[in-house]
Every structure is written in C-alpha cells, then in structure tokens.
Amino acid sequence: AHDEGTGLDITVKTLNERISRDERILEDVRRNFQLLQNLDHQNIVKVHALEFDALTQGYFLVREYVEGVSLAEYRMRYGGGKVPLTEALEICRQIAMALDHAHRSLLHRDLRPDNILVSEAGEVKLLNFCLVPESLAKEIRAESMRRDLEFSSRTHGYMAPEQFFGFPPPGPAADRYALAAIFYDLVSVRPTFD
C-alpha cells in the first residue's frame, strides 16, 4: 500500500480475527506490539501502527515495505535450493544479530524461511513476530496444520520441542533452535525433521 500521509510504501497485515474478540488477548498483542515497535535494528522490519478497521471489525499491522523475497523463495535461485555455505552463514549471521537485539525484550516465536526477507542487496530482515500469547499461537498453528498439510511441513521442522509440545514456555533458545534448523535446511536442502 501507499501511505499518502507520509509518502511511504507500506505493507498491511491483517491479524487473526480472534484478537478483536478477546480483550485479554488484545492487551497482550498491544503490549507485544509496543515492544516490537521499539525495536530499532537494520535486520528487523519496522512496524508503524496497530490499527482497528471498523468495517471488518479486525485489527491490522502497518509496517515498513521491504523490496525482496522470502528466504524460501530466495533459495530457489539455486538449482535444488542448496545455498552456498558462505552465503548461508551470512544470512544466518544477520538473523542472529536481529534475534540478539530482539531478545532484549521480545521473542520471535515463528522463525521460519517464510518470515525472513532477503533484499536484492543481500540484506536480511525478520518479520511476522508472534504478538499473541503462546497458548493462542499454539491453537492457531494447530488449526492451520489441520487445514493445510503443506503449512504443517513448512513449520514443524523449525519449531523447538518446547513450542511443539507446549512445555516449558519458550524462551530465546526456541528462536535459536529455529535459526539452527534454518541453517541446516539451507546447506543440506532438507528440513531437520519431516
């Protein structure tokens, strides 16, 4: 989209409809949004606003527009999807720097190739931080997996055991696990687990 007020190109992401129906969830989302909005790092997509649309009765995020492709699409430039080791290391270094910065206040909780952008210049940016409480995130993932087996295969391989099983509550190690799984996937062309 184009923001006529600022003159900036932006992206708009609608949030799960459950958010607008539960004030407790909405409060968590607002708190996590504030934490995300305060993150200022070159490898994290900047969020500008959390807005309510009266027409759809739903919430949406307004965030920076980044010219690039997802890491899942980027790797397809290489026949078979295997990224050269030095390039995979550089991509993961940038992800690690973003996570290190974010972990001062916020976990990503949904780190996978679909939530990582790579620009033409090779700059990596994280997006789609999970703003809902972990209990709702787990429900949403379960619903999505029941409806879409392909989604299930794209997420399971990057999910730390504590996220998959729901205990103990995930910490920074869950994001680091996902980063290690992404690196493994980039250099071996297969997920850590099916």
Side-chain angles (χ1 to χ4, degrees), residues 63-97:
R63 62 186 183 203
E64 155 189 32
Y65 173 75
V66 176
E67 185 76 41
V69 297
S70 73
L71 182 57
E73 295 167 311
Y74 177 84
R75 67 181 304 170
M76 291 306 125
R77 295 176 177 181
Y78 300 97
K82 186 174 183 178
V83 177
L85 180 61
T86 55
E87 195 169 337
L89 284 169
E90 177 55 25
I91 288 167
C92 290
R93 183 189 69 78
Q94 291 182 56
I95 296 168
M97 288 177 16

PDB file of all heavy atoms in Angstrom, residues 63-97:
ATOM      1  N   ARG A  63       3.322  -1.786   8.474  1.00  0.00           N
ATOM      2  CA  ARG A  63       4.770  -1.934   8.647  1.00  0.00           C
ATOM      3  C   ARG A  63       5.520  -1.476   7.405  1.00  0.00           C
ATOM      4  O   ARG A  63       4.942  -1.277   6.340  1.00  0.00           O
ATOM      5  CB  ARG A  63       5.114  -3.369   9.012  1.00  0.00           C
ATOM      6  CG  ARG A  63       4.737  -4.379   7.973  1.00  0.00           C
ATOM      7  CD  ARG A  63       4.958  -5.794   8.448  1.00  0.00           C
ATOM      8  NE  ARG A  63       4.638  -6.701   7.369  1.00  0.00           N
ATOM      9  CZ  ARG A  63       4.315  -7.942   7.518  1.00  0.00           C
ATOM     10  NH1 ARG A  63       4.273  -8.488   8.702  1.00  0.00           N
ATOM     11  NH2 ARG A  63       4.040  -8.692   6.478  1.00  0.00           N
ATOM     12  N   GLU A  64       6.802  -1.354   7.588  1.00  0.00           N
ATOM     13  CA  GLU A  64       7.708  -0.934   6.520  1.00  0.00           C
ATOM     14  C   GLU A  64       7.586  -1.892   5.333  1.00  0.00           C
ATOM     15  O   GLU A  64       7.456  -3.105   5.503  1.00  0.00           O
ATOM     16  CB  GLU A  64       9.126  -0.955   7.114  1.00  0.00           C
ATOM     17  CG  GLU A  64      10.248  -1.126   6.174  1.00  0.00           C
ATOM     18  CD  GLU A  64      11.593  -1.350   6.871  1.00  0.00           C
ATOM     19  OE1 GLU A  64      11.667  -1.941   7.973  1.00  0.00           O
ATOM     20  OE2 GLU A  64      12.588  -0.903   6.276  1.00  0.00           O
ATOM     21  N   TYR A  65       7.661  -1.338   4.130  1.00  0.00           N
ATOM     22  CA  TYR A  65       7.706  -2.160   2.925  1.00  0.00           C
ATOM     23  C   TYR A  65       9.169  -2.456   2.606  1.00  0.00           C
ATOM     24  O   TYR A  65      10.001  -1.552   2.594  1.00  0.00           O
ATOM     25  CB  TYR A  65       7.056  -1.442   1.739  1.00  0.00           C
ATOM     26  CG  TYR A  65       7.225  -2.193   0.446  1.00  0.00           C
ATOM     27  CD1 TYR A  65       6.482  -3.329   0.192  1.00  0.00           C
ATOM     28  CD2 TYR A  65       8.143  -1.770  -0.500  1.00  0.00           C
ATOM     29  CE1 TYR A  65       6.630  -4.037  -0.987  1.00  0.00           C
ATOM     30  CE2 TYR A  65       8.313  -2.469  -1.689  1.00  0.00           C
ATOM     31  CZ  TYR A  65       7.558  -3.607  -1.919  1.00  0.00           C
ATOM     32  OH  TYR A  65       7.726  -4.304  -3.088  1.00  0.00           O
ATOM     33  N   VAL A  66       9.467  -3.708   2.382  1.00  0.00           N
ATOM     34  CA  VAL A  66      10.828  -4.113   2.036  1.00  0.00           C
ATOM     35  C   VAL A  66      10.784  -4.789   0.678  1.00  0.00           C
ATOM     36  O   VAL A  66      10.039  -5.756   0.477  1.00  0.00           O
ATOM     37  CB  VAL A  66      11.414  -5.074   3.088  1.00  0.00           C
ATOM     38  CG1 VAL A  66      12.792  -5.563   2.668  1.00  0.00           C
ATOM     39  CG2 VAL A  66      11.467  -4.416   4.459  1.00  0.00           C
ATOM     40  N   GLU A  67      11.570  -4.285  -0.248  1.00  0.00           N
ATOM     41  CA  GLU A  67      11.685  -4.893  -1.571  1.00  0.00           C
ATOM     42  C   GLU A  67      12.553  -6.136  -1.432  1.00  0.00           C
ATOM     43  O   GLU A  67      13.717  -6.051  -1.066  1.00  0.00           O
ATOM     44  CB  GLU A  67      12.330  -3.907  -2.547  1.00  0.00           C
ATOM     45  CG  GLU A  67      12.391  -4.381  -3.973  1.00  0.00           C
ATOM     46  CD  GLU A  67      11.049  -4.293  -4.671  1.00  0.00           C
ATOM     47  OE1 GLU A  67      10.341  -3.294  -4.475  1.00  0.00           O
ATOM     48  OE2 GLU A  67      10.722  -5.243  -5.410  1.00  0.00           O
ATOM     49  N   GLY A  68      11.973  -7.282  -1.671  1.00  0.00           N
ATOM     50  CA  GLY A  68      12.731  -8.519  -1.554  1.00  0.00           C
ATOM     51  C   GLY A  68      11.813  -9.719  -1.639  1.00  0.00           C
ATOM     52  O   GLY A  68      10.618  -9.598  -1.912  1.00  0.00           O
ATOM     53  N   VAL A  69      12.383 -10.878  -1.379  1.00  0.00           N
ATOM     54  CA  VAL A  69      11.634 -12.132  -1.417  1.00  0.00           C
ATOM     55  C   VAL A  69      11.858 -12.878  -0.108  1.00  0.00           C
ATOM     56  O   VAL A  69      12.831 -12.627   0.607  1.00  0.00           O
ATOM     57  CB  VAL A  69      12.066 -13.019  -2.616  1.00  0.00           C
ATOM     58  CG1 VAL A  69      11.760 -12.346  -3.941  1.00  0.00           C
ATOM     59  CG2 VAL A  69      13.545 -13.389  -2.524  1.00  0.00           C
ATOM     60  N   SER A  70      10.961 -13.807   0.182  1.00  0.00           N
ATOM     61  CA  SER A  70      11.154 -14.615   1.390  1.00  0.00           C
ATOM     62  C   SER A  70      12.402 -15.488   1.207  1.00  0.00           C
ATOM     63  O   SER A  70      12.821 -15.778   0.074  1.00  0.00           O
ATOM     64  CB  SER A  70       9.933 -15.494   1.644  1.00  0.00           C
ATOM     65  OG  SER A  70       9.888 -16.551   0.717  1.00  0.00           O
ATOM     66  N   LEU A  71      12.950 -15.924   2.316  1.00  0.00           N
ATOM     67  CA  LEU A  71      14.107 -16.815   2.250  1.00  0.00           C
ATOM     68  C   LEU A  71      13.732 -18.117   1.535  1.00  0.00           C
ATOM     69  O   LEU A  71      14.553 -18.688   0.816  1.00  0.00           O
ATOM     70  CB  LEU A  71      14.639 -17.096   3.656  1.00  0.00           C
ATOM     71  CG  LEU A  71      15.881 -17.965   3.760  1.00  0.00           C
ATOM     72  CD1 LEU A  71      17.052 -17.388   2.962  1.00  0.00           C
ATOM     73  CD2 LEU A  71      16.272 -18.153   5.233  1.00  0.00           C
ATOM     74  N   ALA A  72      12.494 -18.548   1.691  1.00  0.00           N
ATOM     75  CA  ALA A  72      12.027 -19.759   0.990  1.00  0.00           C
ATOM     76  C   ALA A  72      12.110 -19.566  -0.521  1.00  0.00           C
ATOM     77  O   ALA A  72      12.525 -20.471  -1.252  1.00  0.00           O
ATOM     78  CB  ALA A  72      10.601 -20.087   1.423  1.00  0.00           C
ATOM     79  N   GLU A  73      11.728 -18.375  -1.003  1.00  0.00           N
ATOM     80  CA  GLU A  73      11.797 -18.086  -2.446  1.00  0.00           C
ATOM     81  C   GLU A  73      13.244 -17.836  -2.880  1.00  0.00           C
ATOM     82  O   GLU A  73      13.661 -18.266  -3.961  1.00  0.00           O
ATOM     83  CB  GLU A  73      10.956 -16.853  -2.767  1.00  0.00           C
ATOM     84  CG  GLU A  73       9.478 -17.036  -2.532  1.00  0.00           C
ATOM     85  CD  GLU A  73       8.721 -15.726  -2.554  1.00  0.00           C
ATOM     86  OE1 GLU A  73       9.146 -14.762  -1.885  1.00  0.00           O
ATOM     87  OE2 GLU A  73       7.704 -15.672  -3.254  1.00  0.00           O
ATOM     88  N   TYR A  74      13.998 -17.148  -2.054  1.00  0.00           N
ATOM     89  CA  TYR A  74      15.379 -16.788  -2.374  1.00  0.00           C
ATOM     90  C   TYR A  74      16.227 -18.025  -2.675  1.00  0.00           C
ATOM     91  O   TYR A  74      16.998 -18.046  -3.635  1.00  0.00           O
ATOM     92  CB  TYR A  74      15.971 -16.001  -1.204  1.00  0.00           C
ATOM     93  CG  TYR A  74      17.417 -15.623  -1.372  1.00  0.00           C
ATOM     94  CD1 TYR A  74      17.773 -14.486  -2.081  1.00  0.00           C
ATOM     95  CD2 TYR A  74      18.424 -16.400  -0.818  1.00  0.00           C
ATOM     96  CE1 TYR A  74      19.107 -14.127  -2.240  1.00  0.00           C
ATOM     97  CE2 TYR A  74      19.758 -16.059  -0.967  1.00  0.00           C
ATOM     98  CZ  TYR A  74      20.088 -14.921  -1.679  1.00  0.00           C
ATOM     99  OH  TYR A  74      21.401 -14.577  -1.830  1.00  0.00           O
ATOM    100  N   ARG A  75      16.072 -19.033  -1.868  1.00  0.00           N
ATOM    101  CA  ARG A  75      16.914 -20.225  -2.033  1.00  0.00           C
ATOM    102  C   ARG A  75      16.644 -20.963  -3.339  1.00  0.00           C
ATOM    103  O   ARG A  75      17.461 -21.737  -3.812  1.00  0.00           O
ATOM    104  CB  ARG A  75      16.758 -21.149  -0.843  1.00  0.00           C
ATOM    105  CG  ARG A  75      15.374 -21.747  -0.790  1.00  0.00           C
ATOM    106  CD  ARG A  75      15.142 -22.633   0.359  1.00  0.00           C
ATOM    107  NE  ARG A  75      16.137 -23.671   0.365  1.00  0.00           N
ATOM    108  CZ  ARG A  75      16.312 -24.504   1.354  1.00  0.00           C
ATOM    109  NH1 ARG A  75      15.571 -24.420   2.406  1.00  0.00           N
ATOM    110  NH2 ARG A  75      17.219 -25.437   1.293  1.00  0.00           N
ATOM    111  N   MET A  76      15.485 -20.732  -3.940  1.00  0.00           N
ATOM    112  CA  MET A  76      15.145 -21.407  -5.200  1.00  0.00           C
ATOM    113  C   MET A  76      15.969 -20.865  -6.373  1.00  0.00           C
ATOM    114  O   MET A  76      15.953 -21.433  -7.454  1.00  0.00           O
ATOM    115  CB  MET A  76      13.651 -21.288  -5.496  1.00  0.00           C
ATOM    116  CG  MET A  76      12.792 -22.088  -4.529  1.00  0.00           C
ATOM    117  SD  MET A  76      13.318 -23.828  -4.470  1.00  0.00           S
ATOM    118  CE  MET A  76      13.612 -24.062  -2.739  1.00  0.00           C
ATOM    119  N   ARG A  77      16.704 -19.782  -6.157  1.00  0.00           N
ATOM    120  CA  ARG A  77      17.609 -19.278  -7.202  1.00  0.00           C
ATOM    121  C   ARG A  77      18.704 -20.292  -7.504  1.00  0.00           C
ATOM    122  O   ARG A  77      19.323 -20.264  -8.556  1.00  0.00           O
ATOM    123  CB  ARG A  77      18.277 -17.975  -6.741  1.00  0.00           C
ATOM    124  CG  ARG A  77      17.317 -16.847  -6.561  1.00  0.00           C
ATOM    125  CD  ARG A  77      18.019 -15.645  -6.034  1.00  0.00           C
ATOM    126  NE  ARG A  77      17.070 -14.551  -5.928  1.00  0.00           N
ATOM    127  CZ  ARG A  77      17.384 -13.353  -5.521  1.00  0.00           C
ATOM    128  NH1 ARG A  77      18.608 -13.068  -5.171  1.00  0.00           N
ATOM    129  NH2 ARG A  77      16.462 -12.436  -5.464  1.00  0.00           N
ATOM    130  N   TYR A  78      18.965 -21.120  -6.530  1.00  0.00           N
ATOM    131  CA  TYR A  78      19.987 -22.149  -6.685  1.00  0.00           C
ATOM    132  C   TYR A  78      19.288 -23.440  -7.074  1.00  0.00           C
ATOM    133  O   TYR A  78      18.306 -23.835  -6.437  1.00  0.00           O
ATOM    134  CB  TYR A  78      20.765 -22.330  -5.374  1.00  0.00           C
ATOM    135  CG  TYR A  78      21.461 -21.062  -4.947  1.00  0.00           C
ATOM    136  CD1 TYR A  78      20.887 -20.200  -4.021  1.00  0.00           C
ATOM    137  CD2 TYR A  78      22.682 -20.709  -5.508  1.00  0.00           C
ATOM    138  CE1 TYR A  78      21.519 -19.031  -3.649  1.00  0.00           C
ATOM    139  CE2 TYR A  78      23.320 -19.536  -5.146  1.00  0.00           C
ATOM    140  CZ  TYR A  78      22.728 -18.701  -4.227  1.00  0.00           C
ATOM    141  OH  TYR A  78      23.361 -17.539  -3.862  1.00  0.00           O
ATOM    142  N   GLY A  79      19.761 -24.075  -8.103  1.00  0.00           N
ATOM    143  CA  GLY A  79      19.158 -25.337  -8.517  1.00  0.00           C
ATOM    144  C   GLY A  79      19.083 -26.291  -7.342  1.00  0.00           C
ATOM    145  O   GLY A  79      20.088 -26.595  -6.735  1.00  0.00           O
ATOM    146  N   GLY A  80      17.910 -26.716  -6.984  1.00  0.00           N
ATOM    147  CA  GLY A  80      17.736 -27.632  -5.866  1.00  0.00           C
ATOM    148  C   GLY A  80      17.618 -26.936  -4.522  1.00  0.00           C
ATOM    149  O   GLY A  80      17.319 -27.575  -3.526  1.00  0.00           O
ATOM    150  N   GLY A  81      17.882 -25.633  -4.460  1.00  0.00           N
ATOM    151  CA  GLY A  81      17.680 -24.884  -3.223  1.00  0.00           C
ATOM    152  C   GLY A  81      18.829 -24.886  -2.238  1.00  0.00           C
ATOM    153  O   GLY A  81      18.716 -24.345  -1.149  1.00  0.00           O
ATOM    154  N   LYS A  82      19.970 -25.518  -2.602  1.00  0.00           N
ATOM    155  CA  LYS A  82      21.109 -25.558  -1.683  1.00  0.00           C
ATOM    156  C   LYS A  82      21.903 -24.263  -1.813  1.00  0.00           C
ATOM    157  O   LYS A  82      22.463 -23.964  -2.867  1.00  0.00           O
ATOM    158  CB  LYS A  82      21.997 -26.761  -1.988  1.00  0.00           C
ATOM    159  CG  LYS A  82      23.107 -26.958  -0.989  1.00  0.00           C
ATOM    160  CD  LYS A  82      23.855 -28.247  -1.270  1.00  0.00           C
ATOM    161  CE  LYS A  82      24.914 -28.477  -0.218  1.00  0.00           C
ATOM    162  NZ  LYS A  82      25.604 -29.747  -0.451  1.00  0.00           N
ATOM    163  N   VAL A  83      21.965 -23.503  -0.710  1.00  0.00           N
ATOM    164  CA  VAL A  83      22.653 -22.215  -0.689  1.00  0.00           C
ATOM    165  C   VAL A  83      24.124 -22.454  -0.348  1.00  0.00           C
ATOM    166  O   VAL A  83      24.434 -23.241   0.554  1.00  0.00           O
ATOM    167  CB  VAL A  83      21.989 -21.276   0.354  1.00  0.00           C
ATOM    168  CG1 VAL A  83      22.712 -19.955   0.460  1.00  0.00           C
ATOM    169  CG2 VAL A  83      20.521 -21.053   0.002  1.00  0.00           C
ATOM    170  N   PRO A  84      25.050 -21.800  -1.065  1.00  0.00           N
ATOM    171  CA  PRO A  84      26.475 -21.966  -0.736  1.00  0.00           C
ATOM    172  C   PRO A  84      26.744 -21.642   0.741  1.00  0.00           C
ATOM    173  O   PRO A  84      26.116 -20.747   1.314  1.00  0.00           O
ATOM    174  CB  PRO A  84      27.175 -20.954  -1.646  1.00  0.00           C
ATOM    175  CG  PRO A  84      26.225 -20.740  -2.784  1.00  0.00           C
ATOM    176  CD  PRO A  84      24.858 -20.879  -2.190  1.00  0.00           C
ATOM    177  N   LEU A  85      27.670 -22.380   1.321  1.00  0.00           N
ATOM    178  CA  LEU A  85      27.946 -22.276   2.757  1.00  0.00           C
ATOM    179  C   LEU A  85      28.231 -20.845   3.197  1.00  0.00           C
ATOM    180  O   LEU A  85      27.668 -20.378   4.193  1.00  0.00           O
ATOM    181  CB  LEU A  85      29.122 -23.192   3.127  1.00  0.00           C
ATOM    182  CG  LEU A  85      29.514 -23.189   4.601  1.00  0.00           C
ATOM    183  CD1 LEU A  85      28.354 -23.661   5.476  1.00  0.00           C
ATOM    184  CD2 LEU A  85      30.727 -24.077   4.818  1.00  0.00           C
ATOM    185  N   THR A  86      29.093 -20.116   2.475  1.00  0.00           N
ATOM    186  CA  THR A  86      29.432 -18.751   2.910  1.00  0.00           C
ATOM    187  C   THR A  86      28.205 -17.842   2.886  1.00  0.00           C
ATOM    188  O   THR A  86      28.034 -16.998   3.764  1.00  0.00           O
ATOM    189  CB  THR A  86      30.554 -18.137   2.043  1.00  0.00           C
ATOM    190  OG1 THR A  86      30.161 -18.199   0.671  1.00  0.00           O
ATOM    191  CG2 THR A  86      31.861 -18.865   2.251  1.00  0.00           C
ATOM    192  N   GLU A  87      27.351 -18.030   1.910  1.00  0.00           N
ATOM    193  CA  GLU A  87      26.130 -17.225   1.821  1.00  0.00           C
ATOM    194  C   GLU A  87      25.143 -17.601   2.924  1.00  0.00           C
ATOM    195  O   GLU A  87      24.515 -16.737   3.542  1.00  0.00           O
ATOM    196  CB  GLU A  87      25.497 -17.406   0.445  1.00  0.00           C
ATOM    197  CG  GLU A  87      24.466 -16.370   0.131  1.00  0.00           C
ATOM    198  CD  GLU A  87      24.054 -16.423  -1.336  1.00  0.00           C
ATOM    199  OE1 GLU A  87      24.826 -16.918  -2.180  1.00  0.00           O
ATOM    200  OE2 GLU A  87      22.939 -15.961  -1.614  1.00  0.00           O
ATOM    201  N   ALA A  88      24.997 -18.896   3.193  1.00  0.00           N
ATOM    202  CA  ALA A  88      24.118 -19.347   4.278  1.00  0.00           C
ATOM    203  C   ALA A  88      24.600 -18.813   5.622  1.00  0.00           C
ATOM    204  O   ALA A  88      23.793 -18.388   6.455  1.00  0.00           O
ATOM    205  CB  ALA A  88      24.059 -20.876   4.304  1.00  0.00           C
ATOM    206  N   LEU A  89      25.916 -18.813   5.818  1.00  0.00           N
ATOM    207  CA  LEU A  89      26.473 -18.262   7.059  1.00  0.00           C
ATOM    208  C   LEU A  89      26.169 -16.771   7.187  1.00  0.00           C
ATOM    209  O   LEU A  89      25.817 -16.296   8.279  1.00  0.00           O
ATOM    210  CB  LEU A  89      27.985 -18.497   7.125  1.00  0.00           C
ATOM    211  CG  LEU A  89      28.421 -19.911   7.463  1.00  0.00           C
ATOM    212  CD1 LEU A  89      29.920 -20.081   7.222  1.00  0.00           C
ATOM    213  CD2 LEU A  89      28.057 -20.261   8.900  1.00  0.00           C
ATOM    214  N   GLU A  90      26.279 -16.021   6.101  1.00  0.00           N
ATOM    215  CA  GLU A  90      25.995 -14.585   6.145  1.00  0.00           C
ATOM    216  C   GLU A  90      24.519 -14.326   6.426  1.00  0.00           C
ATOM    217  O   GLU A  90      24.171 -13.447   7.215  1.00  0.00           O
ATOM    218  CB  GLU A  90      26.425 -13.899   4.848  1.00  0.00           C
ATOM    219  CG  GLU A  90      26.095 -12.423   4.772  1.00  0.00           C
ATOM    220  CD  GLU A  90      26.627 -11.584   5.935  1.00  0.00           C
ATOM    221  OE1 GLU A  90      27.624 -11.968   6.585  1.00  0.00           O
ATOM    222  OE2 GLU A  90      26.015 -10.535   6.214  1.00  0.00           O
ATOM    223  N   ILE A  91      23.641 -15.074   5.800  1.00  0.00           N
ATOM    224  CA  ILE A  91      22.207 -14.933   6.050  1.00  0.00           C
ATOM    225  C   ILE A  91      21.910 -15.209   7.526  1.00  0.00           C
ATOM    226  O   ILE A  91      21.231 -14.427   8.197  1.00  0.00           O
ATOM    227  CB  ILE A  91      21.401 -15.875   5.132  1.00  0.00           C
ATOM    228  CG1 ILE A  91      21.448 -15.357   3.691  1.00  0.00           C
ATOM    229  CG2 ILE A  91      19.963 -16.032   5.616  1.00  0.00           C
ATOM    230  CD1 ILE A  91      20.951 -16.359   2.659  1.00  0.00           C
ATOM    231  N   CYS A  92      22.444 -16.296   8.039  1.00  0.00           N
ATOM    232  CA  CYS A  92      22.185 -16.665   9.425  1.00  0.00           C
ATOM    233  C   CYS A  92      22.856 -15.719  10.410  1.00  0.00           C
ATOM    234  O   CYS A  92      22.335 -15.485  11.505  1.00  0.00           O
ATOM    235  CB  CYS A  92      22.590 -18.117   9.668  1.00  0.00           C
ATOM    236  SG  CYS A  92      21.477 -19.270   8.820  1.00  0.00           S
ATOM    237  N   ARG A  93      23.978 -15.134  10.038  1.00  0.00           N
ATOM    238  CA  ARG A  93      24.624 -14.128  10.896  1.00  0.00           C
ATOM    239  C   ARG A  93      23.698 -12.937  11.076  1.00  0.00           C
ATOM    240  O   ARG A  93      23.506 -12.441  12.187  1.00  0.00           O
ATOM    241  CB  ARG A  93      25.962 -13.683  10.296  1.00  0.00           C
ATOM    242  CG  ARG A  93      26.740 -12.687  11.167  1.00  0.00           C
ATOM    243  CD  ARG A  93      27.939 -12.107  10.423  1.00  0.00           C
ATOM    244  NE  ARG A  93      27.536 -11.219   9.343  1.00  0.00           N
ATOM    245  CZ  ARG A  93      27.119  -9.949   9.526  1.00  0.00           C
ATOM    246  NH1 ARG A  93      27.046  -9.440  10.734  1.00  0.00           N
ATOM    247  NH2 ARG A  93      26.772  -9.215   8.495  1.00  0.00           N
ATOM    248  N   GLN A  94      23.088 -12.491   9.982  1.00  0.00           N
ATOM    249  CA  GLN A  94      22.177 -11.348  10.067  1.00  0.00           C
ATOM    250  C   GLN A  94      20.928 -11.691  10.887  1.00  0.00           C
ATOM    251  O   GLN A  94      20.450 -10.867  11.674  1.00  0.00           O
ATOM    252  CB  GLN A  94      21.784 -10.874   8.665  1.00  0.00           C
ATOM    253  CG  GLN A  94      22.933 -10.230   7.913  1.00  0.00           C
ATOM    254  CD  GLN A  94      22.498  -9.727   6.553  1.00  0.00           C
ATOM    255  OE1 GLN A  94      21.557  -8.936   6.459  1.00  0.00           O
ATOM    256  NE2 GLN A  94      23.168 -10.177   5.504  1.00  0.00           N
ATOM    257  N   ILE A  95      20.425 -12.897  10.732  1.00  0.00           N
ATOM    258  CA  ILE A  95      19.282 -13.334  11.531  1.00  0.00           C
ATOM    259  C   ILE A  95      19.672 -13.352  13.009  1.00  0.00           C
ATOM    260  O   ILE A  95      18.922 -12.877  13.870  1.00  0.00           O
ATOM    261  CB  ILE A  95      18.784 -14.722  11.084  1.00  0.00           C
ATOM    262  CG1 ILE A  95      18.263 -14.684   9.660  1.00  0.00           C
ATOM    263  CG2 ILE A  95      17.704 -15.246  12.041  1.00  0.00           C
ATOM    264  CD1 ILE A  95      18.026 -16.064   9.046  1.00  0.00           C
ATOM    265  N   ALA A  96      20.847 -13.899  13.306  1.00  0.00           N
ATOM    266  CA  ALA A  96      21.311 -13.976  14.693  1.00  0.00           C
ATOM    267  C   ALA A  96      21.460 -12.587  15.316  1.00  0.00           C
ATOM    268  O   ALA A  96      21.104 -12.382  16.480  1.00  0.00           O
ATOM    269  CB  ALA A  96      22.638 -14.741  14.764  1.00  0.00           C
ATOM    270  N   MET A  97      21.970 -11.629  14.546  1.00  0.00           N
ATOM    271  CA  MET A  97      22.105 -10.262  15.062  1.00  0.00           C
ATOM    272  C   MET A  97      20.731  -9.675  15.380  1.00  0.00           C
ATOM    273  O   MET A  97      20.540  -9.021  16.416  1.00  0.00           O
ATOM    274  CB  MET A  97      22.855  -9.379  14.070  1.00  0.00           C
ATOM    275  CG  MET A  97      24.335  -9.707  13.988  1.00  0.00           C
ATOM    276  SD  MET A  97      25.310  -8.770  12.769  1.00  0.00           S
ATOM    277  CE  MET A  97      24.342  -7.402  12.302  1.00  0.00           C
TER     278      MET A  97
END
